[in-house]
Every structure is written in C-alpha cells, then in structure tokens.
Amino acid sequence: MEQEYKPHEIEKKWQKYWNESGIFQAEPDKREKFFITIPYPYLNGNLHAGHTRTFTIGDVVARHKRMLGFNVLYPMGFHVTGTPIVGLAELIASRDPQTMDVYERLHGIPGDILPTLETPEKIVDYFKLEAEKAMRMIGYSIDWRRKFTTTEETYKKFIEWQYIRLEEKGLIVKGSHPVKWCPNDNNPVEDHDILHGEEATIVEYTLIKFRYKDLVLPCATLRPETTFGVTNLWVNPDVGYVKARVEKDGYTEFWVVSREAFRKLTFTDRTVEYIEDIPAKSIIGIKLTNPVTDDEIISLPASFVRPENGSGIVMSVPAHAPFDYLALRDLYDADLSDYGITEDLRKIELISLIKAPEFGEFPAKEIVEKMGITSQKDPKAEEATKIVYRREFHGGMLKEITGKYEGHAVSKIKDILTRDLISSNAGEIFYEFSEPVICRCGTPCVVNMVKGQWFLNYSDPEWKAKVYRCLSQMRIIPEEYRVEFENKVDWLKDKACARKKGLGTRLPIDKEWLIESLGDSTIYMSYYIIAKFIEKGDLALEHLTLSFFDYTLFGKGDSAAVSAETGLDSGILEEIRSDFNYWYPVDLRSSGKDLVPNHLLFFLFHHVALFEEENWPKALAVNGFVSLEGQKMSKSKGPILTLESAVQEYGADITRMYILSTAEQTQDADWHKTGIESARRQVDRFYSFAKDVIENGERAKLGTEFKQIDCWMLSRMQDYFLETNVALDSIQTREAIQNSFFLLINDVKWYQRRGGKTLLYYILDNWVRLMAPFTPHLCEEIWEAMGHKEPISLTQYPLYNEDYMDEGAELAEEVIKGTLEDIEEIIRVTKITPQKVLLYTSPAWKVAVLKCACEMQLEASLEVGTLIKVLMANPDLKRFGKDIPKFVQKIIPEFKSGGADRYEIFAGPGLDEHALLKESASFLEKEIGCPVEIYSADSPAYDPEKKSRFAEPLRPAIYIEGKKGE
RNA sequence: GCGAGGGUUGCCCAGCUCGGUCAAAGGCGCCGGACUUAAGAUCCGGUAUCGAAGGAUUUCGUGGGUUCGAAUCCCACCCCUCGCACCA
C-alpha cells in the first residue's frame, strides 16, 4: 500500500474494475433478490449534495444487502420531462445573468459549453452524461445497462400504455381546477413569476347566498356552519358595489358584490355580466333571508369590510366571532337613520350554535368581556378571534339549532355541509388567495378556473382504500412516517395530470395535452427491466405495443400471441416476463422527504391501480435535506455544491462517509467544511491503521491463547457487528457509522494501549468489510492489499457471533478503566505527584454478601432485612456484623433499580479481581508513571491510612503516596 | 389555519419505544500534556459548578402533574423548521 492515502488514485482504479468486471450488473439467479430504487434525478442542473445524500443512502443499502448475500438490483435513470428544463433553456438562450453565473460558477459548466445549451434537448444531452459521470465518480453500484431518459421514444410508449390502461379503469377524468392567474399576461403564474405573495395558497371558501327580493348577496366564509348563527350582514358604505348576472350550471341569478369581487368572479367557472352599479346605501338596512334557516336578517354598515376580500359583503355571527360582536355593539347607540334603520339593535339576539368545552353560550361576547376589548380596532380583537376559532374548531360540537347536523364535531362538518349547501343552492365554492398575489408585471393575480383539464382521479375512495391496504402491508422507514403517509392519502384530491407546456409524452386519449411529469414517473421501476433489452438491441420501438407491455408486466395474454403481433421472438418475451417476475416487486424505494406528499404517494397509487397485489411495493424510506453552511440550497440561485466538486475536492469515500454520518435519516444535514475536513482525518486514520497491520505482516491468530484484552476486543466487535447491521437494516447510516467506525476506532485505540496484538489482523479483516458499504474504494484497496482475490463488494458482511461475546472480559476491562480513571481523578483533585499507588481488592466478606444478594435477587426475595438475617446466620460473616448492614443498605438500591447486572456477572462466571489487577499492574504503572502495588483488603501488608476499608467488589480501594503539589 | 417534525450540556447531535446504571454516547471546537528542531498529523487528559481522595450540587424549551425517583410518562403553553398541489 502507498504510504499516503490518495483517494483519487484508489477510486479511479476501483471504478474501472467495477465497470469492467460488471459485478453490479444484476441478473436473476438462485439467490434471494433485492430490488432497490431511488427516484431518478431531474436534470435541470448537476447533481448536488442533496442527491449525494439520497443516492449514497441507496448505494449503502444496496452494498450492504449484496454483502449479506442478496442478489441486488440498483438501477438508475434520468428524469427530464416537464417545464423547468424548457425554462432553463430559455434563460440560457436569453443569457439571463443570474442563470449564466450560477450555472457556470456553481454547477461547474465550462464557459464555452454553457451558451450552447440553448435548447431543452441539448440540456438533456449534456446533463445526462454529467449525471452518470458524477454517479460513477462517487462509486455507486448501479447497473448502468438499465439507464434511460424519460424523453426516449421507447419510454413514451411505456407511458402511453400506462395511461391507456388507467383511462380504461376510469381513473382519468375531465374537470376544472383553480390556478393562480395573471389577467394581464393571460397565463397561469408560477412561483418564480410572482412579485409578492409567493407564500400564498388557494383557499376554498364557501359562498353563502343571502337573498333579498330577486337579488343574491353572497358572503364568503371558511366556516359555513356559522350560517346558522347569522344575525345580520355587514356592508361597507364607502365601497362601490355592482349588480351582476351570474350563470353557472344552468341557473341564472343576479348577485350584488363589490367591484373587486365582480372582477374575480369573471375568472371563475361562472358566466358573469355587469348590469349596473349599486350604491352601498341601497343595500344597507334591507331585510334578507338566510338561505339555511330562512330567518330574516338585516344588513348593517361596517367600515371594516374590505372590498377585495371575498364578495365585499360579510355575514355576521356575533355569538362566535369577536369582530362581529364588537361591530354590532359599536352600533348600539349609533344613529343609523341615514340608512333608514330605526330599530333598536339591542334587540338583535345573539344566536349560539356551537358548544365548546371552555365556553358558555356566547363565546365571542365572553372573551371580549374577559379580555376587556373595547372596540373593533383593539389589537386584542385579532387574538380573541384566534382563540375562539381554535377552541371551537377542535373541541366544538354543533348544537340543536343546526338541525340534522347536531352533535357533529366542528372540525369534521365543513365538507359535509358545503356539499349540502351546494345541492340546495344555498351556497357555492369560491376560491381565494390566502394573501394578495402580484405578478411580476405588477398586476394583481386572481384565481382562475381552468376548464376541460384532465385529472387523475385520486379522490376515488376505492383507489384510496387500495393504497391504504398497500401501506398497511409495507414497511415504512422510519415508522413515524406512516401516519404522515396515511394523512397524505386522505388529503390527496384529484390531480391535474396534463399540461400544454414542457417536455414529455402526449396524453394518448387527448393528444393536445402532455402528460404532466409527476404522472410519468410512477411505475417506471418496472421499465428498468425492459430497458436492459432495449439497450442490448433485442427490442425496438415497434415492438413496444400494448400487448407487449400487458404480457411482460402484467402477465396478460401469452407469448405466442404477442410474438405473432410484434414479430418478437417468444423466447425474448418470456425472458422479459421472467425477469419481471424475478425482480418485482420493488423491495425498497428510498427518497428525500420532500417527495412524500407527491411522488411517493403517486408511486403507491399507480402501483396499486395497475399491478396485482403481489407486485405492490414492499418498503419506503425517507431521508432529510442537505443545506450548505446553514443555507438552503437552490439549483437556480445558489448556493449549491455539486456532487462532482465535492468528490474532486475530498474524494468519493470521504464524501460518502461525511454525508452519511453527519445527520440521521429524516434529520436535515448541514454540509460544512470543518465537518468534512474532520471526516478526511478519520478516514486517514483508518488507512494508516490498515497499512500498519498489513505491513507488520500480522495474520489471523484466532484460536491462539487469548489474553483478557483479546477476549474483550473480540466481544466488543461482535456488538458493533450487531449494531451496524441493525442500523443499516433500518437505514440509520449515522448510527451505523457510529458503531462501525467511531466507537470501534476508540476501542481499537484502547486495545492497542492495553498491549493487544493478537487480534490486529482479525480486527482489520472484519473492520474493512464492515466499512465497505460506506467507503467501498478504500476497502477494496485494503482488501486487495491483504491478499484477497475476490472483490470485497462481493464478500460476506461481518455478522454478530454470540460465541465470541464475553461479559466477564468486558466487566474486567471496565474495572481496569474505572480504576485508572479513579486514580487519575484523585491525582487531579489532590494535585499530588504520585510516587506509589496502592490498590486494595475487596475483602472476602463483601464478595460473599454480593453473591448472597444475587442469589436472593434470582429468587426475588431480596429485601434489606431478610438479606441481613441470612448473612448473620453465617458464622463466617457474623464477625463483620457491624459493617454488614451499612454495605447491604448501599447495595440493595442498586439491585432494586436494575443496575446490578455487573454484580451478577461478577458473581456468576466469577472474576478474580486480585489476579486481574496484578496482571494489569504494569499497564497502570505505565499510565500513571509510578509503581503500583496490589493488596487484598483482607490482609493488607501496608495500609497507612486504612483506605482498604473502602474496597468493594469491582471497586478496589486506592491509596496514593506522593508529594503534594501547589 | 391544517398536517408533520423538532427544541438536550460551547457547537453538531445521540438518548427519549421499555422511567432508575444519565452530568447525559459520539463528533467538532477549545484548553493542557506527550511526541517533534518546529508546525501538522497522531496519542493521552480536561471541557456545568464546587472539591487537597475516587465525591457533592444544579442542569436536558417554559410551567404544572404522576412517581420513592423523569431528559425519558401525562397536561398546558412558548419557539423553530418543512409541506399544503398541479410545480419538479
């Protein structure tokens, strides 16, 4: 081996070897298979630290399983369908300064190449080569024969087939959906087009239609159930209102809304026509009908009503809404004769409709009085609203006044009620932003209903039920995410699955549309099986008919018929089918947690829709994000750290080691320079340990005479084997590296410090295999230097061997370590320079007491009194009658709290402390730097300060002679 | 607002599923020592507070509670991160 660790040389060598030997090209055989997939990367940039984390986790699992004897398939493809690549091409073509800067400087695209990437095709061609190069550079054990790009014609055939089959099952439907829309550009706005309000979401309001003569005064609300408690409406006297003709779903009505609301309505799926302006005054003081209760209510003036919110008219529920209560109270003594209102507003009775545990009849009134809120303008009014809302929503039940809804939880009523309101034409759905949205062009955006859109019918209850069943049979890693998945299945609504822009496959049932890119990446794991045959030249585009996919992936039909139709050899067809049967289902799909509510969910939906239950996925795993020096990464704006640049700077193994050990599983990782620098030193240490062992010509000496420390080391290693395997099985790479590397290296240090030699080769032999999934190049190199011919990637992973566990040795070593620490502490505290250390092992009677206690513990009869009684009955012990109770009282609590394992080991196999300390005396002398003498507390030859009385089993007494320092 | 995750000793981060052995693993940083002409690397020790004998005391977001005993269980509250869609 080279004197110095040179990662790049080693890595190049082994990557070449892996590639040429084809050892990661997986073919079916007799072994049990393991099919692991990671979502293919979307190529609008180079692979970065986030990909590095997700893909490296996948590779480690793949390598671990392979070393455990599984036949592992780890394939990879490239995702390019959708709009971002088109957008990027446009930005490059227009030489957008930020884009040019970020892509040249941070993505590392050479300055002479970047300007040529002016079309989506060129971008795809460039990045797919770069991505593969990067993944090879970091040493992923991918079967590259199966790679593909999602714009390939053959892949499009596969997608077309899938959508035809989904449509046949009735899972693709047509409908409308709301989008953020700029009326000026006449286009949907995407997040990067937004000047203000990037955070805004589209909120679903219910529009309650209050009626006055032939007019409708609609009010938008998030809490339709409160319609039962409406006492009045609020109209702003200073706002301009209009009357409009509104047509929808066959009805025609005349609505009065604010001017702003009218504009918004024109973008909804209603036909609206302006009729005339309506002075605010003319709709104040009128008597309307509540469409739900048929009660007559009055409209009142209120300046807090904002014309741009909802319809510009607000319904008032003073029993439950503090603002409404305050506004109403403020009017009690106002002169409203101007509006023709003469009645006494105090006569308006509050209507209570929700029973919430913390409140009485009128929560709004109650809280306003309790908090001492004086008017609508009081900032505390906002807080009061929140409190009431929260308590009512979570703990509230609908009262009798709500009729058939009585007893329903407030939190569960919205969907039911909205549906009923719509069917009785008492209400409608109305979409609104959670905050104002302004387009880049400066125009306020609106919610627009896009009509005639194609949807994947994810809300279908039967479909969801299948996904639930699938989930319930799956392993979710970590298990805490199961509830998250279940929630998301619940929440998922129909999803628009086609769009007009971008790269992709045309929707076969409506060629005007392109299949949206999340929808074309749901069951492509099965395509990896086919891709190999395409690459080999066995399959051509014309072979990929519907029946071809039906046969190979579903097992429908027979090979002879498909062969006749496609002209394919039936042997090939059967081989593909049999490959599919071997590799499917997916055993593990592992991904970043950002894909939980979208891709991973769709992955499940499409699998359960199309495949038989036996081919449903087996397990899902999620991991956290990666940030850079505390900053969030951004592909388009930076900062970003590419996989390639990390590997170039630090090497593949160090990069892998760092990214895997810096954070656990779903925790986010922060990549920082000091962290990876230290990983470099750690790997260096491992290298030099290996080099030393190999150069010293050490060989396995298992079975020769073992010293205490050898037994200890062997035992400890078994523990790390166990922990590492368990951690890897649950994809806790940090825990795995903690055990297989950091804890182990510390034990190896102790082993060598204690003079251990015999096991050095054994340690290396196992350690290098243990580390192989994490730092595979380095481990191959060491393995080869040890004289092995087979690559380490295909050898057996170390497994826990119970026979090598040695509790006695571990306990003995603990005693030595503890004794050394105690001595050092005494020296530190007393500041004496030791000249001689005297150790006294426990007197025999204390040992006898312990043994007796252990026996009684086993019989579960251990009590202070009974133990003392038993001991006193023993004539040999009775002599120590004065000391026994004290010792017993000290020991018993340890037993009671379950902390007496060590005593049981001590009492069981037996540990000769005196011999142990004698044997270790020279070690202690070396460490402390002065002579160490061992005595028994039973008959100490020298004990000037009577320290021996402190001696206990596993805790020798210490006396230090020396000069007192400053 | 809804959903999910998280707040631990200078920092990162374990432990908290199964309360006691937890002043709390590991890494980083820092301090001291060994080695070295020196630096780096490596090794050893320290790193809540107090302590001239291996000990004691106060800590694990805040406030309560359960218990002989809580970082760990229960309740309330505060704060932070992420997702909420047609976009990959």
Side-chain angles (χ1 to χ4, degrees):
Chain A
M1 281 171 82
E2 295 269 349
Q3 184 62 27
E4 221 175 292
Y5 172 42
K6 292 176 185 152
H8 295 100
E9 278 177 27
I10 293 175
E11 286 159 12
K12 232 172 139 183
K13 168 180 164 187
W14 288 100
Q15 282 158 15
K16 185 160 178 273
Y17 169 80
W18 291 333
N19 189 35
E20 287 170 359
S21 63
I23 59 171
F24 302 133
Q25 297 182 355
E27 289 298 336
D29 60 27
K30 288 206 175 65
R31 285 175 295 167
E32 195 180 333
K33 63 92 184 181
F34 190 81
F35 185 19
I36 173 172
T37 66
I38 306 295
Y40 45 24
Y42 184 76
L43 296 183
N44 63 337
N46 273 318
L47 301 185
H48 53 71
H51 294 114
T52 309
R53 183 167 183 201
T54 303
F55 297 169
T56 305
I57 288 171
D59 189 54
V60 165
V61 173
R63 287 177 176 276
H64 179 233
K65 290 284 181 190
R66 203 176 280 120
M67 291 179 75
L68 286 175
F70 288 88
N71 187 11
V72 173
L73 174 55
Y74 184 36
M76 190 57 73
F78 306 109
H79 195 206
V80 299
T81 38
T83 53
I85 286 177
V86 176
L88 178 61
E90 285 164 9
L91 287 168
I92 292 173
S94 68
R95 304 287 184 265
D96 175 72
Q98 186 183 41
T99 304
M100 299 306 276
D101 176 59
V102 168
Y103 277 80
E104 183 170 347
R105 197 167 42 86
L106 300 178
H107 285 266
I109 301 172
D112 53 333
I113 292 179
L114 181 58
T116 69
L117 305 180
E118 291 178 318
T119 65
E121 292 71 25
K122 284 183 180 159
I123 289 179
V124 170
D125 286 344
Y126 177 77
F127 282 127
K128 74 179 181 195
L129 293 178
E130 289 297 307
E132 180 174 345
K133 192 175 98 190
M135 286 193 258
R136 285 179 180 274
M137 269 177 84
I138 197 167
Y140 294 151
S141 58
I142 290 170
D143 182 350
W144 283 109
R145 300 170 304 159
R146 299 168 188 271
K147 72 179 176 205
F148 62 86
T149 308
T150 57
T151 43
E152 286 167 8
E153 292 306 316
T154 47
Y155 185 76
K156 288 183 175 178
K157 285 282 176 206
F158 167 70
I159 297 300
E160 280 171 18
W161 161 78
Q162 182 193 337
Y163 273 74
I164 287 169
R165 293 298 175 245
L166 284 170
E167 205 270 334
E168 282 169 0
K169 289 172 186 279
L171 300 176
I172 297 178
V173 295
K174 228 173 184 179
S176 318
H177 80 276
V179 294
K180 293 175 190 167
W181 184 268
C182 172
N184 186 43
D185 299 346
N186 218 19
N187 240 325
V189 288
E190 289 170 33
D191 271 353
H192 58 266
D193 293 329
I194 291 173
L195 199 62
H196 289 302
E198 282 170 293
E199 304 286 293
T201 53
I202 294 174
V203 183
E204 187 185 298
Y205 285 82
T206 309
L207 222 44
I208 307 291
K209 298 182 185 178
F210 293 89
R211 294 176 197 279
Y212 170 65
K213 295 182 183 162
D214 65 331
L215 293 178
V216 171
L217 274 68
C219 297
T221 179
L222 283 170
R223 300 181 57 193
E225 71 280 3
T226 59
T227 312
F228 287 99
V230 170
T231 58
N232 63 285
L233 298 191
W234 298 116
V235 173
N236 190 331
D238 303 320
V239 162
Y241 290 89
V242 301
K243 176 175 168 184
R245 204 177 108 104
V246 178
E247 274 183 54
K248 190 191 176 189
D249 300 338
Y251 72 73
T252 302
E253 288 170 345
F254 290 94
W255 289 14
V256 177
V257 295
S258 69
R259 199 173 283 285
E260 289 82 349
F262 171 75
R263 185 168 154 274
K264 287 187 291 190
L265 280 176
T266 61
F267 294 98
T268 63
D269 51 351
R270 300 168 176 89
T271 311
V272 293
E273 185 191 335
Y274 168 84
I275 305 290
E276 59 182 339
D277 279 3
I278 298 278
K281 226 170 150 178
S282 70
I283 52 168
I284 296 175
I286 58 173
K287 302 284 174 58
L288 301 100
T289 312
N290 181 330
V292 172
T293 60
D294 282 335
D295 290 344
E296 184 176 86
I297 56 158
I298 189 168
S299 67
L300 298 172
S303 56
F304 73 82
V305 175
R306 297 236 294 272
E308 68 275 15
N309 283 0
S311 63
I313 302 173
V314 175
M315 64 191 215
S316 166
V317 189
H320 298 282
F323 271 109
D324 292 339
Y325 173 73
L326 288 163
L328 188 60
R329 202 177 66 176
D330 288 353
L331 289 181
Y332 279 170
D333 298 313
D335 175 14
L336 301 175
S337 55
D338 243 17
Y339 303 106
I341 301 169
T342 50
E343 49 260 81
D344 181 3
L345 298 185
R346 288 175 204 270
K347 292 213 172 112
I348 294 181
E349 284 179 33
L350 307 195
I351 305 169
S352 172
L353 70 135
I354 292 167
K355 174 94 201 82
E358 294 94 339
F359 289 119
E361 186 81 352
F362 305 121
K365 182 166 185 253
E366 227 172 83
I367 197 160
V368 161
E369 286 164 3
K370 197 170 143 208
M371 290 175 71
I373 301 169
T374 50
S375 79
Q376 306 165 50
K377 299 195 174 70
D378 193 326
K380 279 185 291 190
E382 190 68 45
E383 197 191 328
T385 302
K386 275 189 181 166
I387 293 171
V388 174
Y389 183 92
R390 197 178 307 153
R391 291 199 192 156
E392 288 187 344
F393 185 83
H394 293 295
M397 297 286 244
L398 294 179
K399 289 187 174 176
E400 198 185 344
I401 191 168
T402 63
K404 65 174 176 175
Y405 306 109
E406 183 188 0
H408 277 81
V410 172
S411 56
K412 299 267 197 285
I413 194 63
K414 189 178 171 186
D415 287 347
I416 303 168
L417 189 58
T418 304
R419 202 186 53 216
D420 291 353
L421 290 172
I422 292 169
S423 68
S424 64
N425 195 27
E428 292 186 13
I429 303 268
F430 182 71
Y431 295 100
E432 181 120 283
F433 295 129
S434 56
E435 59 182 282
V437 176
I438 313 289
C439 177
R440 250 188 199 172
C441 71
T443 313
C445 296
V446 293
V447 178
N448 189 18
M449 290 301 285
V450 174
K451 302 170 187 90
Q453 173 66 275
W454 288 100
F455 285 90
L456 279 159
N457 191 14
Y458 289 141
S459 56
D460 178 1
E462 279 177 43
W463 199 354
K464 286 195 179 189
K466 270 179 150 179
V467 176
Y468 281 126
R469 188 157 85 243
C470 177
L471 266 176
S472 72
Q473 298 161 0
M474 283 178 87
R475 192 167 167 220
I476 307 292
I477 306 168
E479 184 59 32
E480 298 93 88
Y481 263 74
R482 180 179 300 280
V483 59
E484 172 81 349
F485 276 105
E486 286 169 351
N487 285 343
K488 293 301 177 194
V489 173
D490 238 358
W491 154 92
L492 192 66
K493 295 184 190 160
D494 288 356
K495 164 111 174 60
C497 64
R499 51 182 306 162
K500 298 269 164 120
K501 249 177 89 177
L503 302 177
T505 307
R506 299 212 163 269
L507 190 64
I509 50 175
D510 185 351
K511 302 269 187 189
E512 300 216 333
W513 293 88
L514 288 159
I515 292 166
E516 192 273 324
S517 74
L518 282 170
D520 79 355
S521 51
T522 55
I523 59 160
Y524 69 87
M525 310 80 213
S526 60
Y527 188 77
Y528 285 125
I529 288 147
I530 292 169
K532 189 196 81 181
F533 292 91
I534 294 171
E535 200 239 24
K536 234 175 29 173
D538 288 346
L539 286 176
L541 191 60
E542 65 270 20
H543 297 135
L544 305 180
T545 63
L546 297 180
S547 57
F548 166 82
F549 289 113
D550 281 344
Y551 175 71
T552 52
L553 302 183
F554 289 167
K556 270 199 213 149
D558 61 276
S559 59
V562 179
S563 168
E565 184 198 309
T566 59
L568 267 172
D569 182 67
S570 67
I572 293 275
L573 283 163
E574 277 158 25
E575 191 184 345
I576 299 172
R577 176 62 191 161
S578 128
D579 276 13
F580 176 84
N581 274 333
Y582 179 79
W583 291 114
Y584 242 66
V586 173
D587 292 289
L588 174 65
R589 186 150 182 88
S590 180
S591 132
K593 63 185 175 186
D594 50 331
L595 300 189
V596 170
N598 44 69
H599 166 71
L600 291 177
L601 218 48
F602 307 153
F603 162 72
L604 296 180
F605 269 86
H606 289 239
H607 268 88
V608 303
L610 293 165
F611 290 102
E612 293 299 319
E613 198 157 332
E614 66 199 26
N615 283 322
W616 292 0
K618 293 288 180 211
L620 279 173
V622 293
N623 59 265
F625 306 121
V626 179
S627 57
L628 289 181
E629 309 286 347
Q631 277 190 291
K632 209 178 151 179
M633 275 195 291
S634 160
K635 274 188 198 171
S636 57
K637 295 176 188 159
I640 197 158
L641 174 75
T642 63
L643 191 162
E644 190 177 340
S645 68
V647 171
Q648 259 163 8
E649 182 154 8
Y650 299 101
D653 286 333
I654 290 165
T655 303
R656 294 169 63 108
M657 174 99 168
Y658 176 61
I659 200 75
L660 293 171
S661 64
T662 193
E664 191 67 278
Q665 206 149 310
T666 55
Q667 298 280 358
D668 295 339
D670 187 26
W671 179 294
H672 46 109
K673 208 175 166 62
T674 54
I676 188 150
E677 297 283 355
S678 116
R680 189 213 299 263
R681 286 200 298 274
Q682 306 290 3
V683 176
D684 245 334
R685 261 202 257 179
F686 179 53
Y687 183 89
S688 55
F689 171 80
K691 186 170 64 68
D692 289 350
V693 172
I694 292 168
E695 283 174 2
N696 290 340
E698 308 279 358
R699 278 296 168 266
K701 286 177 198 155
L702 229 51
T704 52
E705 66 316 342
F706 275 179
K707 289 195 190 127
Q708 173 87 23
I709 191 63
D710 298 318
C711 297
W712 174 82
M713 188 71 227
L714 199 53
S715 183
R716 298 286 285 185
M717 286 192 75
Q718 304 314 311
D719 215 31
Y720 297 134
F721 296 164
L722 180 65
E723 297 297 332
T724 304
N725 276 298
V726 168
L728 281 178
D729 185 59
S730 54
I731 320 190
Q732 291 174 291
T733 58
R734 187 180 203 271
E735 174 81 3
I737 290 180
Q738 202 65 231
N739 278 285
S740 60
F741 191 77
F742 291 100
L743 297 178
L744 181 53
I745 204 169
N746 283 344
D747 280 357
V748 171
K749 275 195 268 181
W750 177 254
Y751 178 72
Q752 291 184 296
R753 194 172 157 195
R754 291 275 283 119
K757 273 200 167 64
T758 314
L759 282 177
L760 286 174
Y761 189 89
Y762 172 86
I763 292 169
L764 180 62
D765 179 73
N766 282 279
W767 199 2
V768 70
R769 283 182 287 132
L770 203 60
M771 289 297 293
F774 313 112
T775 57
H777 311 84
L778 172 58
C779 291
E780 289 281 13
E781 182 73 10
I782 295 170
W783 192 247
E784 186 190 51
M786 290 172 81
H788 295 284
K789 297 278 177 278
E790 277 290 297
I792 198 166
S793 300
L794 300 181
T795 53
Q796 170 68 42
Y797 203 63
L799 295 173
Y800 165 77
N801 183 344
E802 203 182 349
D803 297 344
Y804 291 149
M805 291 302 281
D806 190 335
E807 289 178 321
E810 295 210 27
L811 183 63
E813 222 39 49
E814 235 176 81
V815 170
I816 302 295
K817 218 171 196 166
T819 305
L820 177 61
E821 280 166 9
D822 283 348
I823 295 168
E824 283 174 339
E825 184 171 354
I826 294 167
I827 292 170
R828 185 166 7 97
V829 170
T830 59
K831 300 189 180 69
I832 56 181
T833 310
Q835 284 170 331
K836 195 199 276 181
V837 171
L838 302 104
L839 300 176
Y840 307 92
T841 55
S842 169
W845 72 264
K846 286 188 185 171
V847 174
V849 170
L850 259 186
K851 287 194 169 164
C852 187
C854 285
E855 279 164 26
M856 291 179 73
Q857 172 81 345
L858 276 177
E859 295 162 12
S861 63
L862 185 63
E863 291 301 334
V864 179
T866 47
L867 177 59
I868 292 177
K869 239 179 240 166
V870 171
L871 294 168
M872 291 304 190
N874 182 338
D876 291 338
L877 296 177
K878 206 164 176 194
R879 308 190 272 138
F880 305 101
K882 262 201 306 193
D883 300 318
I884 284 177
K886 234 170 140 184
F887 185 58
V888 166
Q889 275 177 356
K890 190 180 165 203
I891 291 305
I892 295 272
E894 292 189 49
F895 277 93
K896 294 282 178 203
S897 65
D901 293 2
R902 48 206 308 268
Y903 293 136
E904 278 155 24
I905 296 164
F906 172 72
L911 177 64
D912 186 344
E913 278 192 282
H914 201 79
L916 172 67
L917 288 175
K918 274 243 165 9
E919 194 186 291
S920 312
S922 62
F923 166 71
L924 293 172
E925 285 174 353
K926 195 180 79 203
E927 292 292 324
I928 302 158
C930 74
V932 173
E933 291 173 8
I934 320 290
Y935 300 99
S936 164
D938 281 328
S939 54
Y942 180 71
D943 184 12
E945 289 197 14
K946 298 275 173 268
K947 292 287 184 190
S948 69
R949 67 184 191 278
F950 296 117
E952 283 173 20
L954 305 178
R955 195 94 207 268
I958 299 165
Y959 174 62
I960 301 176
E961 276 188 342
K963 277 188 290 204
K964 298 217 163 135
E966 293 303 303

